[in-house]
Amino acid sequence: MIPRLPRLLFTHTLYNGIGCAAGVLLVALIGYLLGGHPLAAVLSSGAMVVSITDTPSPEGHKLRQLLPALVGSTAISLIVGASHGNTALLAGEITLVGFVAGLLSAWGRLLLALGFSLVLATVFAMAFPLPPGVSVFAHGLAFAVGGLAYIIWATALARLLAVRTRVQVLADALASFARYLRLKAAFYDPSAALDTIYERLITEHALLAEKLQAARDFCFHRIRPGARAHQAQVLYALLDAYEHALASQTDRELLRARFGETAPMRAMGRCVADHAADIETVADALLREREIPALPDRQTSCAETHAAVLALTADPLANPADARAAALLRGLAAKLFHSLQRARNVIDVARHAVTTATLPQEDALRAFTSQRKVRLAALRPHFDLASPVLRYALRLAAAMLAGFLVARSLPYAAHGHWILLTIAVVLRPSFSQTRQRHNDRILGNLIGCVIAGALLHTVSSPALLLVFLFISVAFAHAFVTVQYRVTSVAACVMGLLQLHLLSPGASFVLTERIVDTVIGALLALGFAFVLPAWERRSLPLLMKRLRETAARHAAAALDPDTPPLTYRLARKQLQDALAAVSQATARMLDEPGSRRLPLPPLHGAVTAAYLLAAQLASVRFLLQQRAADLDKGRRDALLNQARIALEDALAGRRPDDVMPEPAMVGTDLASASALDPHELLDRRLAAAADDARRLAGFTATS
C-alpha cells in the first residue's frame, strides 16, 4: 500500500527523487539544445546511470559516492560499445560485469547501487546502435560528459539542501521513536498479549535503530554553530530519551499480573501514548517546515498518575510478595516518569525552550557514524567459496550469462537486454530479497509495460517523453526504500522510455517486454538456488557476535567510571548486532522450510538480548539516581560480582547445558526491597545475569 502521500511529499526520499530526476532532465535538455535528440539521449544515459547511485548522504560524501559510477560506467560503455557484433566477447563482458556487481555487495548498502549502475550501463551500451560516422570513443566521451554534468548538479544540490536534509532525517528518527513509545504504551494494557507486544517492539526497535543511525550520520557530521548545532542537540536529546525509555522496560509480566487491571497502570499507558503523540507532532512540524505548535502540559497528568501509583502501593499489604511487587511498581513509575521527562526534554530542545548542554566534540561523535570509506581489504575475507559475497557474485555472473544466451536465442534478440536488466534487479544477495523482488518485479513490470506502451503509442514528441521520463525517475528514486513495487513500475517506465530515446526507430511490442520480464524473473529465481547463501549459514556467526557485543556492553554498563560516550557506543554496537539477528531471522522465514533453523532459540535470543539491554540501562539509571544512597564499597562489590557472573554466562561457562525456558524477567521477587537501594541493585543485577544466561543458552543451541 502506498504511504500517506501528504507526509511523503516532505520526506528526504522524495526530495532526492525529484533532485535526481531534475538532474537527468536538465542534462537531457542541454544535450537537446546543443545537438538534438541523439546527443540528448547519450548525455541523459550517462546522467541516469550515475543517478542510480545518488542516494541521500551527508554533505561532502556526494563526490566519492558518484565518481566510481561515472568511471566504471564509462569504461563499460567503451568496452561493450566496441564489442558489438562479437557474441563471445559480449558474453564474457556481461559475465564479468555480473561478477563485479556481485562482489560490490561486500561493502553492503554502500556499494550495492553501484553494482546495478554498472549493469544498467551495460544494457544501455548494448541497446544503443552507433550512428554512422560516430566512433565508440566519441560516444563514450559524450556518455561521460552526461555523467559528469549530473555529478556537478548533484553536488551543488546536496550543498543547497544540506540543512533541510538533516531536518528531514531527524524528523524521520523522531517519528520512529514516537511509534516505539506508542508500542511501549501497550504494556500497560492487560488485554494485550505480552509476547505479541515484545515481538512488535523488537521489530520496531530494529527500525528505530536504523533511523537513529541515519540521523547520526547526518546530524553528527560537520556540526557548525546555528541550525546544524541545534539539530545535533535535538538528536543527542533523543538518544538520551531512548536510553531512559529502554531503562523502564523491566518487570512487565509480574506487574501486569498484580496491578494490570488497576487505574494507575492504565493511566501510565496513557501518559506514554500522550508523549508519543507530542513527539509525533514535533516530527511532523519539522518535516513540513512549520513552527512547532503549543503542546498540552503533560506534567499535571503525569504528577497525578504518579501520585495515584504511590497511593496504590501505600496500602498495607499482608502478603510480603505483594509488598515487594508494590516496591517494584514504585520503582517502575519512577523510571517511567523520569523517561517521560527526557522525552519532554526532546520537545523543549526542538522548540529552543531550554538551554541545551554542550555537545561532545565532533571527533568523539564520529565514532557513532557509519563507515563510508571503501577499502579493498574488505574483499580479502570473501575469496572463499563459503563466503556469501563470493557465492552471490558467481550466482549473478552465471545468471547474467544465461540471460544473455537465452536472449540471443529469441526471435527478437535485439531487445534481449531487458532480460539482463530484470535479472540484475531481481537477483539479490539473499533468497528472501530475491523472492520478494521476483513478485514485485513481475507485477511492477506488467503495469510499467502497459504505461510505457501507452505513452509510446500516443506521444511522439521527444520533449514530452522527457517529461514523463522525469516523473518516472523521480518515483523510482523516491520509493526505492519505501515501497519497492512502486519503484518497479517507475523503473520499468524509465528504462523503456530511455531505451526508446536511445533507439527511436526500434519497435515496441508489449508482449515481448512482458515475456522478457517473466523470463528474467524466472531465471533470477532459479539461480537463487545456485550456490545459495542460506541464512542458517550466517545466523550462528551473527548470534556469536550478539553474545560478544552483549558482553562488551555489560562490561561498560557495570563500570561506574565508564565515560558516557563509551557506554553509548557499546550500547549502539549491541543494538546493531540485535538488529542484524532480527533481520536475518525475518529473511530466513522466506526460505524453504528445509533450510531454516528452529525459530524458538532465535526468538528467545533476540528477546533475551533486548531484555538484557533494558536491565543494564536500568542499572545505569539506578546508579545515577541513587548515587547518594549507595555505599561505594558495597556497590562496587555487587557490580564486580555481577560483572563476573555476566562474563561467565556470556562466555558459555554454565553449570549445565540445558536450553533455558524463554521466561520473562521479573518473576522472582525474593530479593526485591522497597527501601534498600543495594538490594534493588542486587535484584536488577541478578535479573541481568538471568537474561545473560538465557541469551548464552539460546545462542549455543542455534
Side-chain angles (χ1 to χ4, degrees):
M1 186 174 66
I2 297 177
R4 187 169 65 95
L5 285 180
R7 188 179 191 280
L8 178 68
L9 292 175
F10 299 92
T11 60
H12 64 287
T13 54
L14 185 65
Y15 274 45
N16 181 70
I18 293 174
C20 292
V24 173
L25 181 62
L26 181 62
V27 171
L29 289 176
I30 292 174
Y32 188 78
L33 293 174
L34 294 178
H37 173 268
L39 182 60
V42 180
L43 290 178
S44 63
S45 294
M48 186 178 295
V49 168
V50 173
S51 78
I52 295 297
T53 60
D54 189 4
T55 56
S57 60
E59 182 187 0
H61 290 283
K62 193 63 71 174
L63 186 61
R64 73 175 69 169
Q65 180 183 4
L66 302 181
L67 195 57
L70 174 64
V71 174
S73 61
T74 300
I76 286 174
S77 181
L78 290 170
I79 294 170
V80 174
S83 305
H84 274 289
N86 191 327
T87 302
L89 198 55
L90 274 176
E93 291 163 358
I94 288 169
T95 304
L96 181 60
V97 168
F99 183 74
V100 172
L103 282 183
L104 291 175
S105 65
W107 288 274
R109 293 183 181 181
L110 189 61
L111 294 185
L112 269 179
L114 175 59
F116 183 70
S117 74
L118 299 181
V119 174
L120 187 62
T122 304
V123 169
F124 284 167
M126 291 173 59
F128 184 73
L130 292 178
V134 177
S135 67
V136 172
F137 178 78
H139 172 266
L141 180 61
F143 182 94
V145 168
L148 181 60
Y150 179 85
I151 289 178
I152 295 172
W153 160 266
T155 304
L157 187 64
R159 287 180 178 273
L160 181 65
L161 297 177
V163 175
R164 176 62 184 151
T165 304
R166 288 169 183 249
V167 173
Q168 291 168 317
V169 174
L170 178 60
D172 211 16
L174 285 166
S176 183
F177 181 63
R179 289 191 295 271
Y180 176 77
L181 286 183
R182 204 177 296 279
L183 285 175
K184 280 174 63 70
F187 275 122
Y188 301 91
D189 179 6
S191 64
L194 198 59
D195 289 343
T196 302
I197 296 173
Y198 269 113
E199 184 177 338
R200 293 175 179 172
L201 198 63
I202 290 170
T203 301
E204 186 60 42
H205 179 265
L207 296 175
L208 174 59
E210 184 176 329
K211 301 293 186 183
L212 289 175
Q213 186 56 54
R216 290 187 192 99
D217 290 342
F218 279 86
C219 296
F220 288 165
H221 176 69
R222 293 189 179 179
I223 301 173
R224 302 289 184 270
R228 298 186 184 200
H230 179 246
Q231 292 151 14
Q233 289 166 341
V234 174
L235 175 59
Y236 201 73
L238 174 60
L239 293 170
D240 183 63
Y242 165 70
E243 167 72 12
H244 284 80
L246 190 63
S248 64
Q249 193 80 15
T250 55
D251 305 308
R252 300 298 186 181
E253 186 177 70
L254 182 148
L255 294 175
R256 279 161 58 103
R258 176 62 183 84
F259 298 105
E261 298 294 342
T262 63
M265 280 286 283
R266 293 182 180 275
M268 285 195 288
R270 288 194 296 272
C271 287
V272 176
D274 289 342
H275 280 76
D278 291 345
I279 290 178
E280 199 168 43
T281 299
V282 172
D284 198 59
L286 291 176
L287 193 65
R288 298 171 188 271
E289 296 186 278
R290 296 175 180 171
E291 184 178 351
I292 299 174
L295 297 171
D297 182 5
R298 308 290 186 189
Q299 289 185 344
T300 301
S301 60
C302 286
E304 291 174 351
T305 302
H306 199 175
V309 170
L310 295 178
L312 176 68
T313 58
D315 292 338
L317 299 171
N319 188 340
D322 287 342
R324 288 189 287 269
L328 290 179
L329 180 58
R330 286 195 294 272
L332 170 64
K335 289 185 291 186
L336 172 65
F337 291 112
H338 187 80
S339 72
L340 293 182
Q341 287 176 3
R342 297 290 180 159
R344 188 73 191 188
N345 184 59
V346 176
I347 299 171
D348 292 338
V349 173
R351 299 181 64 187
H352 300 271
V354 295
T355 302
T356 56
T358 303
L359 279 172
Q361 292 294 321
E362 186 175 340
D363 288 343
L365 293 174
R366 194 170 294 126
F368 294 85
T369 60
S370 301
Q371 175 60 257
R372 290 184 172 269
K373 291 184 179 179
V374 177
R375 293 184 172 89
L376 290 178
L379 277 178
R380 194 175 299 129
H382 298 294
F383 286 106
D384 182 335
L385 196 56
S387 165
V389 171
L390 183 60
R391 284 171 167 256
Y392 173 58
L394 293 172
R395 191 161 61 245
L396 183 58
M400 294 283 286
L401 176 60
F404 175 74
L405 296 177
V406 169
R408 287 284 161 158
S409 67
L410 295 174
Y412 50 91
H415 304 295
H417 39 257
W418 194 251
I419 294 177
L420 299 180
L421 203 56
T422 300
I423 291 172
V425 169
V426 173
L427 190 55
R428 299 284 86 195
S430 75
F431 181 87
S432 171
Q433 293 170 319
T434 298
R435 183 176 176 179
Q436 183 60 46
R437 286 286 180 96
H438 170 270
N439 299 333
D440 288 342
R441 180 69 173 176
I442 288 181
L443 181 59
N445 270 22
L446 289 176
I447 300 172
C449 284
V450 172
I451 295 174
L455 289 174
L456 293 176
H457 279 87
T458 57
V459 178
S460 58
S461 168
L464 190 54
L465 286 177
L466 283 176
V467 174
F468 288 106
L469 182 66
F470 166 83
I471 296 172
S472 62
V473 172
F475 271 78
H477 276 273
F479 283 89
V480 68
T481 59
V482 180
Q483 177 57 270
Y484 184 76
R485 191 163 293 177
V486 176
T487 290
S488 181
V489 174
C492 177
V493 176
M494 176 189 78
L496 291 175
L497 292 183
Q498 184 64 20
L499 290 172
H500 174 78
L501 291 172
L502 284 170
S503 184
S507 61
F508 176 84
V509 181
L510 179 62
T511 54
E512 291 180 1
R513 298 290 75 74
I514 293 175
V515 170
D516 287 345
T517 297
V518 173
I519 291 174
L522 290 176
L523 281 172
L525 188 61
F527 273 91
F529 292 91
V530 176
L531 293 176
W534 305 117
E535 296 298 337
R536 66 183 302 165
R537 294 174 178 267
S538 62
L539 272 167
L541 292 177
L542 292 176
M543 297 285 265
K544 179 183 177 184
R545 178 189 165 208
L546 177 61
R547 192 170 64 246
E548 291 171 348
T549 54
R552 289 195 293 270
H553 177 51
L558 299 181
D559 183 357
D561 297 326
T562 299
L565 285 181
T566 302
Y567 166 73
R568 287 173 180 257
L569 183 59
R571 185 195 66 202
K572 173 187 173 297
Q573 291 168 346
L574 176 58
Q575 291 170 353
D576 292 343
L578 183 59
V581 173
S582 298
Q583 292 162 1
T585 302
R587 291 194 299 267
M588 186 190 71
L589 295 178
D590 284 330
E591 296 177 350
S594 61
R595 303 297 181 179
R596 300 177 191 171
L597 291 173
L599 277 179
L602 297 174
H603 285 160
V606 169
T607 302
Y610 180 79
L611 291 174
L612 174 60
Q615 295 289 1
L616 293 174
S618 182
V619 168
R620 295 285 293 190
F621 175 84
L622 180 61
L623 292 176
Q624 293 170 3
Q625 297 299 310
R626 304 293 297 272
D629 301 326
L630 289 167
D631 176 75
K632 185 177 184 300
R634 191 174 174 187
R635 179 203 69 181
D636 290 346
L638 289 171
L639 291 174
N640 287 332
Q641 181 182 2
R643 193 178 301 114
I644 294 172
L646 265 71
E647 181 181 331
D648 287 345
L650 293 171
R653 294 189 285 269
R654 292 172 48 87
D656 56 72
D657 294 324
V658 179
M659 188 176 79
E661 293 295 324
M664 296 299 177
V665 299
T667 56
D668 179 15
L669 294 173
S671 61
S673 168
L675 301 175
D676 188 355
H678 301 91
E679 292 189 32
L680 290 174
L681 176 61
D682 187 30
R683 181 189 182 280
R684 192 62 60 215
L685 293 172
D690 286 342
D691 286 322
R693 281 188 284 271
R694 278 197 290 273
L695 173 59
F698 285 124
T699 53
T701 59
S702 300

